Every structure is written in structure tokens, then in C-alpha cells.
Amino acid sequence: MRFKLIIVLSLFCFSAPAQKQGQALVDSLVSAMPHIVNDTIRARILNKISIYYKDVNTDSALKYTAIGMQLAEKMKWTKGLAVFNVSYGNIFSTKGQLDSSLNRYLLALEIFKKINDSVNQAITYNNLGTIATAKSDFVAAAQYFMNTLQIGKDLKNSFTIGLACENLALVYQYQQDYTKGLDFARQS
């Protein structure tokens, strides 16, 4: 009896419909766009689509980011402008266009500071640190990651603190300062 129950439950689990993911999710979001009248929701969906395409098709990511940026500008939505600058930065980073990425992240950071969005400041500092690391500018990278760490401590956000410490450990490892690297690795 127990064996039959396990088989029935297993069949039920495998036949249960799953949520859409990946391309299927993006296709459904794109097809829903003409029916969405709320501009904020449209902008958020455009950002989700852009995030998906960043690693799959950067041309499509750029297309949807541009549409989202235009919508945020039309709405005069300050946070939306910053978010789409981050999207541009992410796309340019994926494409290896580090200077363009850096410029977009700096624009986003300026906006996040202006609207006192500490969480997104931390994320953007982390992104800037990643670009600086990729450019072998370890002094700048360490400063950006230290800013991320400080915001994480201020917010008491253990994920942000761990992320910053992990990245600082890598920066010091690249500089062959293994003592500092190990110290930050332990903190992460």
C-alpha cells in the first residue's frame, strides 16, 4: 500500500504544471505588454525582459532597455532611470565594454544617492567594484567594495556584507596580499 501511494504521489509531482521560466516566461511577458496600461508595471516588465536577455541576446537586451529607459524618462521616474542605467551597465559589462559599463553604473549611483536608495547604492558599488577589478584597478575596486561593505553594515544586511567581503578577499588575492584576502574571506 505504501509503495502504491509513493508512486501515485510521484506521478502527481511530475504531472503538476510548472511556472514558466526562461524563454517561455519572456515570451509571455512580451506578448502581455500591449495589454498593460500601467506604465510602472510596463517598465518593470521591460526590465525583467532585459535582465533575461542580457546573457542570452545582448541586442534584444539593449532593445528592451532602451524602450524601458524611454518610458522611465516619459514618466519622469527617477528610480526607473537609475534601474535602466544599471541594465545598460550590465549589458555593456556582458559585452566587455567596461568603460561604457562604468559610466552607466556611475550615472545610476548618482541617482540612487539623490533618492537615498541605500540598497541599490550597495548593489551599484558592487557592480563598480567588479568593473574596476576586471580593469585591474584594484585600488578603485577595493574602495567600491568597502563602500558596499559599509552600506551592508549600516543596513545590517548579512548578504551584502558577505558579498562585499568575498569580493574584497578576491581583490587582495589578486594583489597577492593573502593575509588581508584571507581575513575578508573569513568574514564573508
Side-chain angles (χ1 to χ4, degrees):
M1 178 70 177
R2 180 180 252 181
F3 181 72
K4 288 180 184 178
L5 181 63
I6 291 172
I7 290 178
V8 170
L9 288 175
S10 296
L11 290 173
F12 177 73
C13 290
F14 291 119
S15 66
Q19 284 186 329
K20 291 181 181 177
Q21 300 179 40
Q23 189 66 51
L25 173 62
V26 170
D27 290 343
S28 69
L29 291 174
V30 170
S31 67
M33 288 296 291
H35 309 291
I36 298 172
V37 294
N38 183 301
D39 284 342
T40 304
I41 293 172
R42 287 177 63 84
R44 290 174 192 253
I45 289 173
L46 288 164
N47 189 48
K48 284 184 187 278
I49 294 169
S50 174
I51 289 168
Y52 170 76
Y53 277 127
K54 173 186 69 90
D55 294 321
V56 176
N57 182 333
T58 54
D59 290 337
S60 292
L62 284 169
K63 171 186 163 187
Y64 288 104
T65 299
I67 295 168
M69 182 64 88
Q70 289 173 344
L71 184 57
E73 287 170 349
K74 179 185 126 196
M75 295 167 53
K76 296 180 174 45
W77 185 28
T78 307
K79 183 173 181 175
L81 295 171
V83 166
F84 283 106
N85 272 304
V86 169
S87 289
Y88 273 122
N90 292 340
I91 295 164
F92 292 140
S93 176
T94 298
K95 292 177 80 166
Q97 299 172 345
L98 301 181
D99 289 333
S100 295
S101 180
L102 183 71
N103 290 333
R104 287 299 184 146
Y105 289 147
L106 288 170
L107 287 170
L109 181 62
E110 190 176 310
I111 295 169
F112 288 135
K113 284 181 177 180
K114 189 164 70 170
I115 63 173
N116 296 316
D117 186 338
S118 298
V119 171
N120 280 310
Q121 284 179 50
I123 293 166
T124 307
Y125 275 125
N126 190 70
N127 292 342
L128 285 163
T130 301
I131 296 301
T133 301
K135 294 176 77 172
S136 298
D137 184 352
F138 299 121
V139 173
Q143 186 57 57
Y144 288 134
F145 293 137
M146 285 293 199
N147 291 342
T148 303
L149 178 59
Q150 187 57 54
I151 292 170
K153 286 180 177 180
D154 293 345
L155 297 174
K156 296 179 173 77
N157 183 313
S158 58
F159 175 80
T160 303
I161 293 168
L163 181 66
C165 288
E166 181 180 346
N167 285 324
L168 283 162
L170 290 173
V171 166
Y172 288 113
Q173 178 186 344
Y174 295 145
Q175 296 179 86
Q176 298 180 348
D177 187 342
Y178 301 115
T179 304
K180 278 188 180 177
L182 186 58
D183 182 46
F184 280 109
R186 286 183 177 135
Q187 289 180 54
S188 73

